[in-house]
Amino acid sequence: EEMTVGELAARLHLTASEVIKRLMTLGVMASISDTIDYDTAAMVAMEIGAKVEKEVVVTIEDRLFQVENEDDDSTLVERPPIVVVMGHVDHGKTSLLDAIRNTNVTEGEAGGITQHIGAYQVMVNDRPVTFLDTPGHAAFTSMRARGAQVTDIAVIVVAADDGIMPQTVEAINHAKAAGVSIIVAINKMDKPHANPDKVMQELTEYELVPEAWGGDVPCMPVSAKTGNGIPDLLEMIQLVADTSELKANPDRMARGTVIEAKLDKGRGPVATILVQTGTLHAGDAVIAGSTFGRVRVMLNDRGERVEEAGPSTPVEITGLDDVPEAGDVLNAVEDERLAKELVEQRKHEQKEAQFSAYEKVTLDNLFSHISQGDVKELPIIVKADVQGSVEAVKQSLEKLSNEEVRVKVIHGAVGAVSESDVMLADASNAIIVGFNVRPDPVAKENAERDGVELRFYRIIYDAINDVETAIKGMLAPKT
Ligand code: GDP
């Protein structure tokens, strides 16, 4: 492994001449474009007190490489879409999830015990579709903040008699930030005051143009209460999935994400895994976050024992030594000894990582990220006391975009900075700008914990000015 002096300088946030000077004291003569080897780079890094983690990181990645490596196109086969339902409170998310689940219950099963394991599958035209059973954007974005991108499609539920509400806007922006496909379910169509046209009109204000009006957002009228429209919604989900060509290789060791986990009195640690690629088998040795074990019993979403689970299949497993966290990645590995070893290594790494947290973008370090080329977009969340300020700030900030960096307001709303804003910022590496608002205490605490930058202003000009100078690398240090 080698890098140029220039690259090392960028990584260490030093100027090239500083690095060259330090190299000289080590007896190495090099110019900015010369390559130096890893050991030399490490010595410079150590001198300035930066952490060098190559050894450990490379080993664990190498060892997981056999399961993580890219799949050849020829090995990929179609997999079911994974769908999350989001929207404003009381617009019918839970009812819709229940109604969808019931479409699948055949007569003999009616009244049977439905298992809530955190996700379920229904058959649509003989092909499965997977739904996450926890509605809402908080769960969705907190998983994303942990690095788990499991969802393909977001169904945004809007009550036809109520229209777009604050959490609808949040849901839309969280889904957009994640880059998932959006389908709108206009729910409660059975109500006398249902007004789907008004909902569609409001959607256009958030750059979601209904298909019926020439845009690309399918809007499906449904009633979770009567079941009307649900088959059409399901078919639309499948259509959107088909155009996204979702694929995975079922013939490899499994990788999945923990979507729920708990300690069960009788069964010990129990975790619901959504398999993303490969096939998980009963008996497989696995690691999940900092837990490991051997898959003992595997149950599907109907509580039936299964021996294997392919891509996009949710299963509940037992056999882990401890309770993993939602969002943890699960990997099947060759044997249990390796699993144990990897977990010990990972725990060690996590301890180390606490001292060298992954660097979040802030206005202070923005310029060095831009010059390194690893930030091409600056996502910003704007919260203000009045809607007028949100709009004004959004427009002025986005105008600051230049060739190197695009400034993008991924969410803007009236109100205090909330937990959900911090989560979105964390997941999207965004900064939060507030006008005449404060964060709620939990939001503030979380922002500190996650290294998310919060900036508060009373004057719009000051904010624009700070972002502008930060982009140009001329921001004065915070006083
Ligand atoms: P959530 O908070 O988004 O999960 O909403 P719920 O599913 O709990 O629904 C909120 C309320 O709206 C409940 O009283 C539901 O019975 C009712 N509701 C949900 N869907 C419909 C519908 O399609 N029609 C009618 N009339 N009521 C509905």
Side-chain angles (χ1 to χ4, degrees):
E1 174 155 348
E2 311 188 313
M3 64 179 93
T4 68
V5 171
E7 282 162 2
L8 176 62
R11 273 200 217 177
L12 297 175
H13 300 281
L14 294 176
T15 65
S17 63
E18 275 174 290
V19 171
I20 291 170
K21 257 187 252 161
R22 284 175 195 276
L23 284 169
M24 278 163 73
T25 65
L26 296 170
V28 179
M29 296 298 172
S31 71
I32 182 162
S33 55
D34 284 343
T35 27
I36 50 174
D37 60 21
Y38 171 79
D39 291 330
T40 313
M43 278 202 281
V44 175
M46 249 144 31
E47 263 201 44
I48 67 152
K51 273 206 40 63
V52 186
E53 286 182 305
K54 185 191 171 209
E55 236 59 54
V56 185
V57 176
V58 168
T59 332
I60 195 160
E61 280 176 357
D62 271 354
R63 295 168 113 183
L64 280 175
F65 184 70
Q66 41 188 321
V67 272
E68 288 285 352
N69 61 354
E70 285 281 321
D71 288 302
D72 191 75
D73 271 359
S74 63
T75 63
L76 299 178
V77 300
E78 193 185 304
R79 66 168 176 84
I82 299 169
V83 185
V84 66
V85 173
M86 317 203 274
H88 196 72
V89 64
D90 279 348
H91 279 195
K93 300 179 290 293
T94 313
S95 309
L96 188 64
L97 278 165
D98 288 346
I100 290 170
R101 188 201 301 266
N102 290 335
T103 58
N104 217 30
V105 179
T106 52
E107 295 206 358
E109 285 175 335
I113 309 155
T114 42
Q115 299 284 317
H116 282 264
I117 64 167
Y120 64 81
Q121 283 191 326
V122 294
M123 297 303 273
V124 181
N125 300 326
D126 297 326
R127 290 153 67 204
V129 173
T130 305
F131 283 86
L132 294 177
D133 215 356
T134 320
H137 53 271
F140 169 77
T141 300
S142 82
M143 293 240 281
R144 211 161 66 77
R146 306 211 56 235
Q149 175 80 291
V150 295
T151 315
D152 305 302
I153 297 172
V155 171
I156 310 242
V157 181
V158 187
D161 60 340
D162 203 19
I164 293 197
M165 298 301 278
Q167 287 161 28
T168 319
V169 178
E170 285 192 10
I172 291 171
N173 291 332
H174 282 233
K176 279 189 184 170
V180 299
S181 305
I182 293 176
I183 296 175
V184 175
I186 304 179
N187 188 33
K188 308 201 184 183
M189 286 298 290
D190 59 285
K191 286 215 169 178
H193 297 292
N195 189 348
D197 281 344
K198 177 170 162 273
V199 173
M200 295 204 285
Q201 185 59 52
E202 289 170 347
L203 285 170
T204 61
E205 289 165 33
Y206 299 92
E207 284 134 44
L208 295 182
V209 182
E211 268 184 353
W213 296 352
D216 58 1
V217 179
C219 295
M220 310 301 292
V222 298
S223 166
K225 189 177 172 187
T226 67
N228 271 346
I230 287 179
D232 292 338
L233 172 64
L234 292 173
E235 283 193 12
M236 182 53 78
I237 288 171
Q238 209 153 56
L239 198 67
V240 170
D242 285 343
T243 51
S244 317
E245 294 189 39
L246 307 169
K247 290 184 171 167
N249 173 7
D251 298 317
R252 57 181 266 178
M253 282 196 269
R255 177 164 50 78
T257 300
V258 176
I259 56 170
E260 260 184 37
K262 61 177 185 212
L263 189 62
D264 183 282
K265 259 197 205 137
R267 296 185 294 161
V270 175
T272 296
I273 311 297
L274 194 51
V275 177
Q276 287 173 285
T277 187
T279 298
L280 187 63
H281 307 87
D284 278 354
V286 293
I287 65 170
S290 48
T291 69
F292 78 100
R294 185 177 282 284
V295 177
R296 205 177 305 140
V297 176
M298 195 151 72
L299 302 177
N300 68 12
D301 54 349
R302 293 144 178 259
E304 297 156 352
R305 214 169 152 146
V306 289
E307 291 306 310
E308 54 177 45
S312 298
T313 312
V315 277
E316 195 186 65
I317 64 164
T318 62
L320 294 171
D321 72 323
D322 204 347
V323 183
E325 284 180 60
D328 277 344
V329 172
L330 171 134
N331 281 102
V333 296
E334 262 157 45
D335 55 54
E336 212 172 336
R337 216 190 57 206
L338 176 61
K340 183 167 187 210
E341 214 176 292
L342 287 170
V343 159
E344 272 161 16
Q345 196 172 335
R346 184 172 274 171
K347 280 183 182 162
H348 174 72
E349 272 176 33
Q350 278 168 349
K351 234 187 264 160
E352 302 271 291
Q354 286 172 355
F355 298 104
S356 63
Y358 155 73
E359 190 176 55
K360 283 271 158 56
V361 167
T362 66
L363 287 188
D364 292 316
N365 68 25
L366 176 64
F367 185 67
S368 77
H369 277 293
I370 295 173
S371 5
Q372 263 172 268
D374 58 42
V375 168
K376 296 206 159 45
E377 189 174 270
L378 174 64
I380 300 184
I381 294 168
V382 175
K383 295 304 287 275
D385 53 344
V386 290
Q387 187 62 31
S389 309
V390 176
E391 287 308 318
V393 173
K394 179 175 172 189
Q395 287 184 9
S396 320
L397 285 175
E398 290 190 339
K399 273 199 206 121
L400 297 175
S401 300
N402 61 24
E403 269 153 40
E404 278 81 45
V405 66
R406 189 159 90 100
V407 180
K408 189 170 179 218
V409 174
I410 58 169
H411 179 57
V414 170
V417 174
S418 68
E419 268 184 87
S420 149
D421 296 329
V422 172
M423 219 186 266
L424 178 61
D426 187 25
S428 309
N429 209 6
I431 64 167
I432 302 179
V433 170
F435 284 89
N436 298 316
V437 293
R438 302 300 310 169
D440 71 43
V442 184
K444 186 160 180 238
E445 218 176 279
N446 292 356
E448 266 160 34
R449 182 196 62 201
D450 300 335
V452 168
E453 180 163 48
L454 297 175
R455 290 238 171 189
F456 293 96
Y457 297 92
R458 303 208 157 271
I459 302 168
I460 291 179
Y461 171 81
D462 288 342
I464 311 301
N465 201 38
D466 273 7
V467 174
E468 185 169 21
T469 47
I471 288 175
K472 293 181 178 154
M474 298 183 317
L475 187 72
K478 242 195 275 189
T479 45

